[in-house]
């Protein structure tokens, strides 16, 4: 999410006729509900963990009408039986960091209605249409391929064995899941990269991390995950699944949920956008709109602030009252980051539908980055919000355009940009913000809450030699 904060939320509208005019107001939303499991028993906090859980009375139905959860149930011994079965399998595929993050995403239903790593038909639909066809024949948005690569030796071994099921294991060879009814097909890397990013220029972070050295084949199939994915990094309590989020929204009696995704620290411009969204929803008739502050928690590029520091900063934002804890749910979105601009922002929005959000805040240049080899942005800064308003499968998501947020030097706070006095506004880019923090220089008063800024400075201090040693200072752009 870029520091400059234009964003949009598309709102459902119905007509209410007044005494002399017709006023557009939001359609009455249903209460949030969490389904009871069928067939495979109940999981965490009574939330169902079966393959096809129908959500009753939700804010917005998951894609396909069912929240697909793929974690084996503890009840009835299924989880332990699956663990023993996977341990005995000879054909195994070892997952790296990014593959494990995608396993997490699939297991909790963020990618509903997907039931596992993509088979070829799903891969081609995602690549060429940014959507896949569900069981009911309808198209649901799916703009990034969620696939698992294997190399030539693995492909030959699996095919020679005649195995229809393989175990997915971690770096220590511990079984994490079983992939069944498998299909192996060619991994056309150049086509995948060109269609996802719109370029094959060298230096794309996700490509370097997860595609360039990956195998030349992809393996898809139905997943059954042995147990919930945990990272044991002190942040697992923030990693709420879509079902858990829906349960939390129900507990809070939310009648609307608006999601804000970011991979940067929260400054007061971000907070302005979020609080103003809630104000607008209240004005439109909603009684208790709840914010889902949902930082991305998977792979990010090396110069992004790490998740643990971002979460510390977000905590300060709530502690200091920049955002209201009573109407804010902070959770971690487990997806890896592609930096694929308008293509990827569709995935970010689609996943939040499955978590129960019916409003999505989209910023300037969402999921964007600088061109890896040229001095320019890789994507047009406005295309993300335009694409979201037109994307197939996202018609149920609500979007409304807002103005850009910037620092008002007269009022000494972040405010919506007023072009009639443009010289009064200062745009503080993410690069400038990071440079100020690295140099232990303070931003203008009102840019970020003091506690949050202190966390950011502490992070950059942790990367440098101890005080008293030589430390290069970076120039701060005007």
């Amino acid at each position: 999410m870029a520091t400059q904060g234009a964003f949009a939320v598309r709102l459902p509208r119905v007509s209410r006729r007044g005494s002399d005019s017709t006023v557009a107001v939001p359609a009455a939303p249903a209460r949030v509900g969490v389904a009871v499991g069928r067939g495979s028993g109940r999981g965490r906090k009574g939330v169902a963990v079966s393959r096809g859980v129908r959500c009753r009375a939700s804010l917005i139905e998951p894609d396909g009408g069912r929240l697909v959860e793929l974690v084996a149930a503890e009840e009835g011994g299924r989880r332990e039986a699956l663990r023993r079965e996977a341990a005995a399998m000879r054909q195994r595929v070892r997952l790296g960091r990014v593959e494990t993050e995608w396993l997490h995403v699939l297991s909790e239903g963020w990618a509903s209605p997907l039931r596992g790593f993509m088979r070829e038909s799903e891969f081609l639909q995602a690549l060429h249409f940014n959507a896949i066809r569900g069981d009911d024949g309808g198209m649901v948005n799916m703009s990034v391929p969620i696939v698992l690569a294997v190399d030539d030796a693995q492909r030959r071994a699996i095919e020679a064995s005649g195995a229809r099921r393989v175990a997915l294991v971690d770096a220590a060879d511990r079984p994490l899941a079983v992939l069944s009814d498998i299909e192996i097909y060619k991994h056309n890397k150049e086509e995948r990269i060109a269609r996802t990013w719109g370029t094959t220029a060298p230096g794309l972070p996700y490509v370097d991390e997860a595609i360039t050295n990956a195998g030349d084949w992809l393996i898809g199939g139905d997943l059954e995950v042995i147990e919930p994915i945990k990272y044991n990094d002190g942040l697992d309590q923030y990693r709420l699944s879509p079902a858990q989020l829906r349960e939390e929204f129900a507990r809070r009696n939310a009648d609307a949920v608006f999601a804000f995704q970011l991979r940067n620290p929260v400054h007061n411009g971000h907070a302005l956008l979020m609080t103003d969204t809630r104000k607008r929803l209240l004005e439109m008739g909603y009684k208790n709109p709840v914010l889902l502050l949902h930082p991305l928690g998977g792979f990010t590029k090396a110069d992004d602030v790490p998740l643990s520091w971002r979460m510390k900063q977000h905590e300060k934002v709530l502690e200091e009252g920049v955002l209201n804890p009573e109407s804010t749910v902070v959770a971690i979105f487990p997806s890896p980051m592609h930096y694929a601009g308008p293509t990827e922002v569709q995935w970010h929005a689609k996943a939040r539908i499955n978590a129960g959000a019916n409003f999505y805040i989209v910023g300037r240049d969402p999921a964007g980055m600088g061109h890896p080899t040229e001095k320019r942005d890789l994507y047009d800064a406005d295309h993300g919000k335009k694409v979201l308003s037109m994307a197939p499968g996202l018609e149920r998501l609500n979007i409304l355009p807002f103005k850009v947020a910037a620092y008002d030097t007269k009022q000494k706070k972040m405010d919506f940009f007023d072009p009639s006095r443009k010289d009064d506004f200062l745009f503080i880019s993410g690069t400038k913000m990071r440079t100020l923090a690295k140099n232990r220089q303070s931003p203008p008063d009102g840019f970020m809450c003091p506690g949050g800024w202190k966390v950011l400075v502490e992070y950059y201090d942790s990367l440098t030699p101890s005080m008293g040693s030589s430390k290069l200072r970076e120039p701060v752009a005007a």
Side-chain angles (χ1 to χ4, degrees):
M1 185 71 67
T3 298
Q4 299 174 28
F7 72 100
V9 183
R10 186 169 59 210
L11 298 171
R13 304 177 78 85
V14 297
S15 293
R16 175 179 296 164
R17 191 163 301 279
S19 58
D20 57 357
S21 64
T22 299
V23 181
V25 298
R31 291 291 182 186
V32 181
V34 179
V36 176
R38 298 190 304 178
S40 62
R42 300 168 71 88
R44 302 178 301 275
K45 299 180 182 178
V47 176
V49 292
S50 66
R51 284 181 175 270
V53 179
R54 182 171 296 278
C55 292
R56 303 172 298 165
S58 61
L59 282 171
I60 185 171
E61 272 202 340
D63 279 336
R66 295 176 182 271
L67 187 58
V68 175
E69 293 189 277
L70 305 174
V71 179
E74 285 189 282
E75 291 78 1
R78 177 55 190 159
R79 185 173 294 180
E80 186 56 37
L82 185 65
R83 183 180 286 108
R84 290 196 300 268
E85 183 181 1
M89 288 182 175
R90 298 187 62 184
Q91 300 303 324
R92 299 181 166 209
V93 176
R94 183 168 285 107
L95 305 185
R97 170 190 170 182
V98 171
E99 292 86 3
T100 301
E101 291 168 355
W102 283 124
L103 181 71
H104 184 178
V105 165
L106 290 166
S107 72
E108 294 184 340
W110 296 101
S112 295
L114 277 186
R115 297 180 179 274
F117 287 103
M118 289 178 172
R119 294 182 173 88
E120 186 175 38
S121 63
E122 295 164 328
F123 173 69
L124 291 175
Q125 289 176 74
L127 211 58
H128 291 268
F129 310 137
N130 288 172
I132 58 174
R133 194 172 298 282
D135 292 340
D136 61 358
M139 298 298 286
V140 299
N141 195 273
M142 185 61 66
S143 62
V144 297
I146 303 179
V147 292
L148 178 61
V150 294
D151 59 25
D152 287 337
Q154 290 173 304
R155 177 186 66 86
R156 287 194 297 268
I158 293 169
E159 290 180 345
S161 72
R164 299 299 303 149
R165 309 179 78 204
V166 299
L168 306 184
V169 301
D170 65 12
D173 210 35
R174 291 186 294 261
L176 299 175
V178 171
L179 193 66
S180 303
D181 192 21
I182 59 173
E183 176 184 340
I184 299 177
Y185 56 99
K186 189 68 177 174
H187 187 189
N188 294 318
K189 296 180 184 180
E190 185 177 27
E191 180 186 22
R192 177 185 175 189
I193 295 165
R195 287 194 171 273
T196 303
W197 283 270
T199 181
T200 56
L204 297 168
Y206 185 92
V207 172
D208 291 345
E209 177 75 15
I211 298 180
T212 300
N213 296 318
D216 291 333
W217 303 88
L218 297 174
I219 182 170
D222 290 337
L223 266 177
E224 193 171 8
V225 181
I226 295 171
E227 60 186 4
I229 303 298
K230 301 295 181 185
Y231 299 81
N232 302 312
D233 58 357
L235 299 175
D236 282 331
Q237 73 271 21
Y238 288 108
R239 293 184 174 95
L240 303 180
S241 70
Q244 288 173 317
L245 284 168
R246 286 174 178 267
E247 188 176 59
E248 178 62 19
F249 300 144
R251 189 187 70 79
R252 296 189 184 214
N253 294 317
D255 60 356
V257 175
F258 58 107
F260 188 79
Q261 137 128 9
L262 71 172
R263 66 175 195 270
N264 287 319
V266 174
H267 58 64
N268 290 350
H270 295 137
L272 173 65
L273 302 178
M274 291 181 266
T275 55
D276 195 70
T277 299
R278 189 170 195 274
K279 176 184 174 184
R280 287 171 178 255
L281 292 174
L282 288 168
E283 291 171 349
M284 298 182 75
Y286 290 91
K287 301 301 183 184
N288 188 31
V290 171
L291 165 65
L292 172 59
L293 179 59
H294 215 201
L296 185 135
F299 163 80
T300 55
K301 55 190 176 71
D303 61 347
D304 280 346
V305 177
L307 176 65
S308 61
W309 288 93
R310 283 185 277 131
M311 294 307 293
K312 290 179 184 177
Q313 196 270 347
H314 297 352
E315 289 173 359
K316 293 297 182 184
V317 169
L318 267 70
E319 286 176 12
E320 298 185 20
V322 178
L323 294 173
N324 183 358
E326 295 301 316
S327 58
T328 304
V329 175
V330 181
I332 293 171
F333 179 44
S335 176
M337 187 77 188
H338 279 63
Y339 305 92
T343 297
E344 184 175 16
V345 74
Q346 297 175 65
W347 158 242
H348 294 164
K350 173 251 172 46
R352 277 35 180 258
I353 291 175
N354 287 328
N358 49 345
F359 300 89
Y360 185 75
I361 302 173
V362 56
R364 182 182 181 275
D365 195 22
M369 59 171 282
H371 194 284
T373 61
E374 302 174 15
K375 292 184 177 181
R376 60 179 177 87
D377 289 339
L378 186 53
Y379 308 105
D380 186 292
D382 293 325
H383 281 183
K385 64 182 180 182
K386 290 179 180 179
V387 165
L388 275 188
S389 70
M390 301 181 288
L394 296 182
E395 294 85 359
R396 298 179 299 141
L397 196 65
N398 305 310
I399 299 180
L400 173 70
F402 276 77
K403 297 177 291 184
V404 173
Y407 185 77
D408 187 331
T409 60
K410 296 295 186 183
Q411 299 188 64
K412 297 189 182 303
K413 67 175 186 177
M414 296 297 288
D415 203 351
F416 293 122
F417 177 67
D418 181 354
S420 69
R421 50 186 190 92
K422 60 182 180 181
D423 293 339
D424 293 341
F425 286 86
L426 176 65
F427 290 97
I428 302 174
S429 68
T431 299
K432 182 173 181 179
M433 177 180 70
R434 290 189 291 269
T435 302
L436 287 168
K438 289 175 185 176
N439 291 345
R440 298 180 61 86
Q441 295 178 334
S442 297
D445 289 341
F447 173 73
M448 184 183 291
C449 66
W453 184 257
K454 183 179 179 182
V455 169
L456 193 57
V457 171
E458 287 174 352
Y459 162 63
Y460 284 110
D461 275 355
S462 74
L463 303 180
T464 61
S466 60
M467 297 300 293
S469 61
S470 60
K471 179 177 175 181
L472 293 177
R473 296 293 188 182
E474 298 182 33
V476 180

